[in-house]
Amino acid sequence: MIGTWLENTATDCEKNLAQRLDNVKFLRQLLASSQRFTAYLKVEEVFKREQDLLQTRKTNLESACTTQKNEYNQAASQLGEVESLKTTLEELLNQAPSVDWQDPALLNLWAGLNKYTSTDASLRNFAANLRLAINLASELGMVKPNHGLFGLAGWLQNTVTSWIAEVRTALAYASDIAIAMTEAELAAQTYTQNSQSIAGLKSNHQQLLTNQQSLHQRIRNLHNRESEANLTINDLDVWLSTANLNIANVLTQCLQNRQDFTVDLISLPSVLRSMTMEAQYLPWQQSLEQCQVKVNELIQKYHERDRVRSRVSEIKDLLVRGRNILGNRSIDEAAISQVSVSKALDPVESLIKLKQLAQNSIDEIEKPLGVWGGIIEWILAIAVKQKSLDSIAQKLHPYSRRYGAAVTLEAIRRQAQIICQRVQPVESESAISRITVEVANGMVRSACTWLKQLQAETEIEQSQLEVELNEQMRLAANEQQKISANQEELENYRSEADFKFQRAIALLQELLSFPYLPKQLRLLVQEYLDNLSNILTEIPQFKAKIRDWENRTKQLDTLISLIDPLATLSTSKDLLIVRITSLQETTETYKNQFIETQSQIQTIVEHLRQQLEYISTERTWWQSIWEAIPGKFKPEVDSTDLFNLDFLRTIEAKFEYWQQQLQTEEFYLNRYQHFVQDWIGKLRQPTESDRTNLRRIYLDNANVVGITCVQAANYEFSQEFTYFDVVIIDEVSKCTLPELLIPALKGKKLIMVGDHRQLPPMLDTKTLEEVSQEIGSTNTELQLLQESLFKIQFESANDSIKQMLNIQYRMHPIIMGAINQFYDGKLECGILEPDTKRAHNLAGEIIKESHHLIWIKTPGGNNFQEETTGTSFFNIPEINAIECLCKQFESTWASRVANGEPKKKSP
């Protein structure tokens, strides 16, 4: 390996030196042509400028030539067209006055003339008047023939003029019909006005009758109200006899239920209640509200008394609870007077505060006593029985929590008694009796007053209504007399309106018989006859249309008198003669200009050819120079045109670079050529010392060294390579412990790559079991070789220094699925489109396209049992089955190989 490296290195050095010598030789030859290239570049620049100028001028002249040719052709074409038009006009004028205006040859005559005579005012007026006349004739119902402009002028003079006289007769008759329609309309309006007048009288008469009925009903209602008022006054006397007892019961019930008192609780006479509801007025409202306030104040006092009782009961419960805890204690009156309890004005608020104070005292009593508290309470308990200890007890009282609580509870009890005494029970019976009398008398008194006032108002209103009723009856009689008088006159108006309307219809029917009636007028008349209601409603529109048609007829007659086609033809002929003279001069001018421009273009073409012949020699020289330049010296440019100025300027700049490159190469050769040649000699014929040194250099510069685990134990290898930065051992699961230790001891860092779920450690080509049987050793003696060291290390290593590669890119997912059970199902397939990229293309009788893994079953008879030769097992029938499948694979792929595809390889 070292010898090959030395030979390759010597060969590379020779090639490099020879290449530099060739570079120097070529660069000297190339730079010798630098001055001539500079001169050639100037020639190209001058040639380019002159070519651009001549080409631009040639392009401009060609464009001008094309324009001049087109203008000449156009002028010649116009001249021929104008002369043809002039001939046609002369023929028509010779036929006057019997010109056939319907001749098809005249159809497009005006369009041809208009191109050359459109500036003449008389011709423009002729065309404008003609178009206006044709439009008016069409609007009046005339159908325009398919003639040219001159043919239409003849049609207007010959046909439309006679038609106008007939139309005027029909329009005069239509004006008479409009007068008859107006008379019928006036008669209808008179009838309508009188009909509306009678309808108004009838409406007034009916309204008067309705008012009479309403007044009768109101008078009856007033009689009923007066009777109800008398009945109600009698009912009040009866109600008053039992009212005091009923009202007292209601008030007592309100007090018992603590319910607010309202008027709805009192049972009133039904007639009185209905009358007050109808009038929406309660006469006893003011007196009842005063009594209601008194009752509610009494109820509030009972509410307050109830709350006081409830709070006092709660305080008593707390006092009993405290007494049960404290027992009977003697309490100094002075201490009780010093206790500050609530003295609020509101008794309920005071009792709430007393309850909270009592609760706080109970909470204080129930707290556990400390050591000193227990001693003080024990002394005070003895002092109760022995009077001699009163002085000591007096001194200990301020320090006893329970004594202080007992004093507070006693003060609370006394204050609660005071509040209860202050809130005395209310004398409800006397108050209820007094209020009952006020309510009953007030309601009766106010009700009677209101009823009497109602009776007086009813009598006055009844008198007024009777007077109004008499007036309505008189007015109704007068209206009925007017209706009778106008009914007879209305019938006469109706008869007259019908007669005039029928006359207008007859006149419209007669108008339809006119043969020259305008189409639009005929349609309008027919529309009136189909819908007779429009005859009287659209008279102004009918008159407006008649006036419009009369004006249009008059305008059409005026326009026809202004149209003279023969005079127009004569004028057009004179204009064409002037136009022919002008076009002849213009055509001759364009022809001369075209000939002159063609001559100039030929001169420029000849000049361009001469310049191109002059520069061809220089370009041939430059092309030969360029083809001789090696590819490595050629600049990297996009242009493929060798004569492009930008490209040539790039080459001119490149000469300076080639000069620098030559200097660099010559400097290198002058300095290192002999040294390199000596180095090549030593590489090819090294001494023993040189060979040793060169071998050391080679090894010291090697980054990766590949070797088997067993070869790593070689003595020479161990001497040359004492250690490595990193040792990587592949297929480590198949290595025995001694095989792993040899390379592992040489590395600062060890990386083991393998799969302990695959083949176990092997010795040569034999398994450990085969070795054990061969040497007669027991499994215990070979225990270290039975299990992979990699497995032990991987399973016990920390997760930070081990990694399982779960994604595989080799197998089809179906094959992976067969072995994934050994990897706890963690394997994943990283192949995109595995059915395509891992397609076996071996489909046949047994193997299908979807089969990526297949199990072949063989019979279980004696003929298919395994046989033994030494320590090896073999099965001939299974080998035959495998051979059969392989032959099928071969035949399946044979056609592909015949077509030039490579032989099938394992993925």
Side-chain angles (χ1 to χ4, degrees):
M1 182 180 293
I2 299 298
T4 302
W5 172 69
L6 293 175
E7 179 62 29
N8 292 339
T9 303
T11 303
D12 290 342
C13 289
E14 284 181 341
K15 290 181 179 179
N16 182 268
L17 185 60
Q19 184 65 49
R20 287 181 179 272
L21 291 171
D22 292 340
N23 291 345
V24 169
K25 179 180 179 181
F26 173 76
L27 288 173
R28 286 173 179 171
Q29 295 175 353
L30 183 62
L31 292 171
S33 61
S34 174
Q35 294 181 354
R36 183 173 179 183
F37 179 82
T38 302
Y40 162 67
L41 177 60
K42 291 181 180 179
V43 171
E44 280 284 359
E45 290 175 344
V46 172
F47 174 73
K48 177 64 175 175
R49 286 195 298 271
E50 292 182 355
Q51 284 280 309
D52 290 343
L53 290 173
L54 291 173
Q55 194 65 39
T56 301
R57 186 180 177 188
K58 178 175 175 289
T59 303
N60 294 335
L61 288 173
E62 287 176 346
S63 176
C65 184
T66 302
T67 303
Q68 292 165 359
K69 182 178 180 181
N70 293 335
E71 290 175 346
Y72 170 78
N73 293 334
Q74 184 178 2
S77 175
Q78 289 180 358
L79 179 60
E81 185 177 353
V82 172
E83 289 177 345
S84 175
L85 289 172
K86 173 176 169 292
T87 302
T88 302
L89 293 180
E90 289 175 347
E91 292 176 354
L92 289 173
L93 291 173
N94 292 332
Q95 297 175 10
S98 59
V99 177
D100 183 8
W101 299 110
Q102 298 182 7
D103 187 355
L106 300 178
L107 187 62
N108 298 318
L109 179 60
W110 174 257
L113 290 173
N114 194 44
K115 290 170 58 178
Y116 306 104
T117 60
S118 59
T119 57
D120 185 73
S122 61
L123 294 181
R124 288 201 301 270
N125 291 336
F126 170 78
N129 293 333
L130 184 59
R131 290 191 178 94
L132 288 174
I134 290 171
N135 291 336
L136 283 174
S138 299
E139 292 174 0
L140 292 172
M142 293 293 290
V143 179
K144 180 184 72 171
N146 187 20
H147 296 334
L149 207 64
F150 289 104
L152 292 174
W155 171 71
L156 288 172
Q157 288 184 336
N158 299 330
T159 304
V160 176
T161 302
S162 59
W163 177 82
I164 290 175
E166 298 294 337
V167 170
R168 285 176 176 170
T169 303
L171 291 176
Y173 190 79
S175 299
D176 296 338
I177 295 174
I179 295 172
M181 292 169 64
T182 303
E183 293 175 353
E185 180 188 18
L186 293 175
Q189 289 178 353
T190 303
Y191 171 76
T192 302
Q193 292 172 358
N194 282 274
S195 297
Q196 293 174 351
S197 176
I198 292 177
L201 292 174
K202 290 181 177 180
S203 176
N204 293 337
H205 181 260
Q206 184 62 38
Q207 184 63 41
L208 291 172
L209 294 178
T210 303
N211 293 341
Q212 291 178 26
Q213 294 177 356
S214 175
L215 290 172
H216 280 298
Q217 183 61 39
R218 290 174 63 186
I219 292 171
R220 285 195 295 271
N221 293 339
L222 291 174
H223 281 299
N224 294 335
R225 188 167 66 182
E226 187 175 5
S227 300
E228 289 177 351
N230 293 328
L231 180 61
T232 302
I233 292 172
N234 296 330
D235 290 343
L236 281 174
D237 294 337
V238 177
W239 176 80
L240 186 59
S241 62
T242 58
N244 290 333
L245 178 60
N246 293 335
I247 294 173
N249 291 335
V250 170
L251 294 177
T252 302
Q253 190 70 25
C254 289
L255 289 176
Q256 290 176 354
N257 298 332
R258 306 298 189 261
Q259 176 185 355
D260 290 342
F261 171 68
T262 61
V263 69
D264 296 334
L265 299 175
I266 299 176
S267 178
L268 295 172
S270 59
V271 180
L272 176 62
R273 184 177 294 276
S274 63
M275 291 181 67
T276 55
M277 290 178 62
E278 183 180 354
Q280 296 182 352
Y281 174 71
L282 298 177
W284 53 80
Q285 182 70 32
Q286 183 175 2
S287 60
L288 186 62
E289 286 178 352
Q290 295 175 356
C291 296
Q292 187 174 3
V293 171
K294 294 178 181 179
V295 174
N296 291 337
E297 288 177 352
L298 183 63
I299 293 172
Q300 288 300 322
K301 290 180 180 180
Y302 271 84
H303 275 300
E304 183 179 11
R305 183 182 176 190
D306 292 341
R307 290 195 296 273
V308 168
R309 285 181 177 179
S310 174
R311 299 302 177 187
V312 169
S313 175
E314 293 173 355
I315 293 172
K316 285 181 178 180
D317 293 340
L318 291 174
L319 294 176
V320 171
R321 182 177 167 190
R323 191 178 301 113
N324 293 336
I325 298 172
L326 297 173
N328 295 324
R329 290 175 178 258
S330 59
I331 300 173
D332 188 1
E333 290 294 332
I336 295 173
S337 63
Q338 293 178 357
V339 176
S340 176
V341 295
S342 176
K343 295 182 180 180
L345 296 178
D346 186 7
V348 176
E349 182 180 352
S350 297
L351 290 172
I352 291 173
K353 293 182 178 180
L354 289 176
K355 177 189 173 185
Q356 184 62 41
L357 184 59
Q359 183 65 52
N360 294 340
S361 299
I362 295 299
D363 294 341
E364 188 69 22
I365 294 171
E366 291 178 343
K367 289 180 180 179
L369 294 172
V371 177
W372 290 107
I375 294 173
I376 291 172
E377 292 300 325
W378 178 72
I379 295 173
L380 291 176
I382 295 174
V384 173
K385 300 178 182 178
Q386 297 183 11
K387 299 297 184 180
S388 59
L389 298 177
D390 286 346
S391 59
I392 296 174
Q394 290 294 331
K395 294 179 180 181
L396 291 177
H397 283 160
Y399 302 98
S400 173
R401 286 187 302 166
R402 294 192 172 185
Y403 179 79
V407 171
T408 301
L409 290 174
E410 179 61 23
I412 290 171
R413 185 187 66 78
R414 294 183 181 182
Q415 184 64 27
Q417 288 180 351
I418 293 172
I419 292 173
C420 285
Q421 291 174 0
R422 192 168 65 231
V423 182
Q424 295 295 332
V426 182
E427 292 295 334
S428 60
E429 293 184 1
S430 60
I432 289 172
S433 178
R434 184 175 61 258
I435 294 172
T436 298
V437 173
E438 292 179 4
V439 170
N441 293 337
M443 292 184 68
V444 172
R445 183 170 55 255
S446 59
C448 290
T449 301
W450 175 70
L451 289 171
K452 291 179 180 179
Q453 182 180 357
L454 185 62
Q455 286 178 334
E457 293 174 354
T458 301
E459 292 177 357
I460 294 173
E461 185 178 359
Q462 185 176 354
S463 300
Q464 293 175 349
L465 290 177
E466 289 176 351
V467 172
E468 186 177 354
L469 176 60
N470 293 331
E471 179 64 19
Q472 291 290 326
M473 293 174 67
R474 185 185 65 79
L475 292 175
N478 292 338
E479 290 294 320
Q480 183 62 41
Q481 292 177 358
K482 291 180 181 180
I483 291 172
S484 300
N486 290 335
Q487 192 71 41
E488 183 177 355
E489 187 177 358
L490 179 64
E491 184 62 25
N492 295 332
Y493 289 139
R494 186 190 65 78
S495 177
E496 183 179 358
D498 288 343
F499 169 75
K500 292 183 177 182
F501 184 69
Q502 293 298 327
R503 180 173 178 273
I505 293 173
L507 293 175
L508 288 171
Q509 292 173 344
E510 181 65 21
L511 181 61
L512 289 178
S513 63
F514 279 68
Y516 294 101
L517 186 67
K519 182 178 179 181
Q520 293 183 356
L521 180 58
R522 185 180 298 277
L523 293 175
L524 183 61
V525 171
Q526 187 62 51
E527 180 183 348
Y528 288 163
L529 293 175
D530 293 339
N531 190 358
L532 299 178
S533 60
N534 293 340
I535 293 177
L536 301 182
T537 58
E538 297 185 2
I539 294 175
Q541 294 88 332
F542 185 69
K543 291 181 177 180
K545 287 185 180 297
I546 292 173
R547 287 194 298 270
D548 180 55
W549 285 321
E550 289 176 344
N551 293 333
R552 290 186 184 186
T553 304
K554 184 177 180 181
Q555 293 172 0
L556 179 58
D557 198 12
T558 302
L559 289 173
I560 292 174
S561 65
L562 297 175
I563 296 171
D564 187 356
L566 291 176
T568 302
L569 291 176
S570 178
T571 303
S572 300
K573 175 187 173 184
D574 296 338
L575 293 172
L576 290 178
I577 292 172
V578 175
R579 183 72 172 178
I580 288 171
T581 303
S582 174
L583 285 173
Q584 288 174 345
E585 296 174 355
T586 302
T587 303
E588 187 64 25
T589 301
Y590 286 154
K591 181 179 179 181
N592 295 333
Q593 290 177 350
F594 175 70
I595 295 172
E596 177 64 23
T597 303
Q598 280 188 327
S599 176
Q600 293 178 5
I601 292 173
Q602 291 299 324
T603 303
I604 292 173
V605 170
E606 180 62 23
H607 195 182
L608 288 172
R609 186 186 61 77
Q610 293 173 358
Q611 287 184 339
L612 187 59
E613 290 178 354
Y614 169 74
I615 201 171
S616 295
T617 304
E618 294 297 318
R619 285 185 173 181
T620 302
W621 169 83
W622 162 236
Q623 188 171 7
S624 64
I625 294 296
W626 173 257
E627 292 174 353
I629 299 175
K632 63 181 179 181
F633 291 109
K634 289 182 178 179
E636 296 181 359
V637 294
D638 296 333
S639 176
T640 57
D641 183 5
L642 293 180
F643 314 117
N644 182 274
L645 284 179
D646 293 335
F647 173 70
L648 294 174
R649 292 189 184 103
T650 303
I651 298 299
E652 183 183 28
K654 195 68 175 177
F655 273 99
E656 297 179 3
Y657 171 75
W658 288 331
Q659 181 65 43
Q660 296 174 0
Q661 199 171 9
L662 175 62
Q663 293 173 357
T664 301
E665 294 289 349
E666 289 177 340
F667 175 80
Y668 177 85
L669 292 174
N670 292 334
R671 188 168 185 177
Y672 298 110
Q673 182 176 2
H674 297 296
F675 173 77
V676 172
Q677 289 173 346
D678 292 342
W679 171 249
I680 293 171
K682 286 186 178 183
L683 290 175
R684 288 233 165 87
Q685 297 177 352
T687 63
E688 190 63 30
S689 175
D690 291 340
R691 180 177 292 277
T692 301
N693 292 334
L694 290 171
R695 186 176 188 276
R696 186 73 263 166
I697 291 172
Y698 178 79
L699 294 177
D700 288 344
N701 286 277
N703 292 325
V704 179
V705 177
I707 198 170
T708 65
C709 292
V710 175
Q711 289 174 338
N714 184 278
Y715 175 78
E716 293 181 357
F717 181 79
S718 299
Q719 292 298 316
E720 290 179 352
F721 300 98
T722 56
Y723 72 92
F724 292 91
D725 294 330
V726 179
V727 173
I728 302 174
I729 304 176
D730 194 16
E731 294 292 350
V732 70
S733 60
K734 297 171 62 176
C735 296
T736 61
L737 179 59
E739 289 175 331
L740 283 176
L741 291 177
I742 294 170
L745 293 174
K746 289 184 175 290
K748 295 180 180 179
K749 181 178 182 181
L750 176 63
I751 299 176
M752 295 189 292
V753 181
D755 186 352
H756 57 278
R757 291 182 173 85
Q758 294 188 16
L759 294 175
M762 298 186 68
L763 296 174
D764 196 10
T765 59
K766 301 177 181 179
T767 64
L768 290 177
E769 293 180 356
E770 293 174 340
V771 173
S772 175
Q773 294 177 5
E774 184 176 337
I775 65 177
S777 300
T778 63
N779 290 337
T780 303
E781 294 173 341
L782 299 176
Q783 185 175 1
L784 290 174
L785 301 178
Q786 287 182 343
E787 191 171 18
S788 171
L789 175 64
F790 174 71
K791 176 183 177 183
I792 299 172
Q793 293 293 324
F794 187 83
E795 292 178 350
S796 61
N798 188 278
D799 291 340
S800 62
I801 63 172
K802 66 180 180 180
Q803 177 65 46
M804 179 179 176
L805 304 179
N806 296 328
I807 302 177
Q808 62 86 20
Y809 297 89
R810 182 179 182 183
M811 299 172 283
H812 190 278
I814 294 179
I815 302 175
M816 182 191 74
I819 64 171
N820 212 356
Q821 56 183 317
F822 303 109
Y823 299 92
D824 301 325
K826 295 181 180 179
L827 287 182
E828 299 177 11
C829 183
I831 306 172
L832 299 177
E833 300 180 358
D835 290 338
T836 301
K837 295 183 178 180
R838 291 295 180 266
H840 52 69
N841 297 319
L842 296 173
E845 182 180 354
I846 300 176
I847 306 299
K848 304 301 180 183
E849 184 178 354
S850 60
H851 292 167
H852 297 276
L853 179 68
I854 187 170
W855 300 98
I856 305 299
K857 293 183 179 181
T858 58
N862 294 331
N863 295 334
F864 286 87
Q865 296 299 318
E866 289 183 340
E867 300 178 14
T868 306
T869 300
T871 58
S872 300
F873 295 91
F874 64 92
N875 191 317
I876 298 300
E878 288 183 354
I879 294 174
N880 294 334
I882 294 171
E883 183 181 5
C884 179
L885 288 175
C886 291
K887 288 181 178 179
Q888 180 183 329
F889 295 162
E890 186 70 19
S891 63
T892 302
W893 199 257
S895 60
R896 296 176 178 268
V897 175
N899 292 331
E901 296 186 21
K903 293 184 178 181
K904 178 66 178 178
K905 295 182 180 180
S906 173

